Amino acid sequence: MSTTRFATTLGLMLALAAAATAGAPGPPQGDPLATIDLATRAGTGLARASWRYADARIVETMHRAPDAEGQPTGAPIATQTLEPRAGRADFDDSAWATIAPESLVTRRGGGRISFNWYRTTVTVPEKIGEVATAGRTLVFQTTVDD
């Protein structure tokens, strides 16, 4: 019998960008001027952030079949959706568990198919270290691994 070991990590880094690539869309290039590690107490304290967590689940629902152009205007059909639908900024996650930032590496999903929500709010401080944040480009870097 073999054992498979899973590790789950989720980190979020807020970085002040050194410079944007001229005329090109996408993230700025180069090393950040300053960073906040939101997977630490110090980082969440600086950004007045807290982490919330909830399991998500697949539920049966009805939708419309696609028409000739692929738009959902056809007959009602059975399908699935993910609940809660927590992607909106105004979603109320106040009933969710608040988790410690250093616990983001803890595996929380319980099965082969597992969906989870992690949410946080961030208040950008006036300075990160000695670097003023006003007028700077902020980059959020995430890492998720299972």
Side-chain angles (χ1 to χ4, degrees), residues 84-135:
R85 297 181 63 146
R88 298 181 330 271
D90 64 347
F91 180 84
D92 181 8
D93 60 14
S94 62
W96 291 10
T98 300
I99 60 172
E102 59 274 5
S103 79
L104 290 168
V105 298
T106 302
R107 181 177 179 166
R108 290 185 168 81
R112 287 185 174 253
I113 299 175
S114 182
F115 298 96
N116 327 92
W117 283 103
Y118 292 84
R119 292 175 55 95
T120 189
T121 56
V122 173
T123 300
V124 178
E126 289 185 22
K127 284 188 170 185
I128 301 175
E130 296 301 315
V131 180
T133 59

Side-chain angles (χ1 to χ4, degrees), residues 39-110:
T40 66
R41 293 243 180 227
T44 55
L46 182 60
R48 292 187 278 169
S50 65
W51 284 98
R52 294 196 178 267
Y53 171 84
D55 290 319
R57 64 196 179 288
I58 298 171
V59 298
E60 300 295 321
T61 191
M62 296 298 289
H63 194 57
R64 296 206 169 263
D67 62 20
E69 286 80 42
Q71 299 302 309
T73 60
I77 57 171
T79 188
Q80 299 85 34
T81 191
L82 194 63
E83 293 291 338
R85 297 181 63 146
R88 298 181 330 271
D90 64 347
F91 180 84
D92 181 8
D93 60 14
S94 62
W96 291 10
T98 300
I99 60 172
E102 59 274 5
S103 79
L104 290 168
V105 298
T106 302
R107 181 177 179 166
R108 290 185 168 81

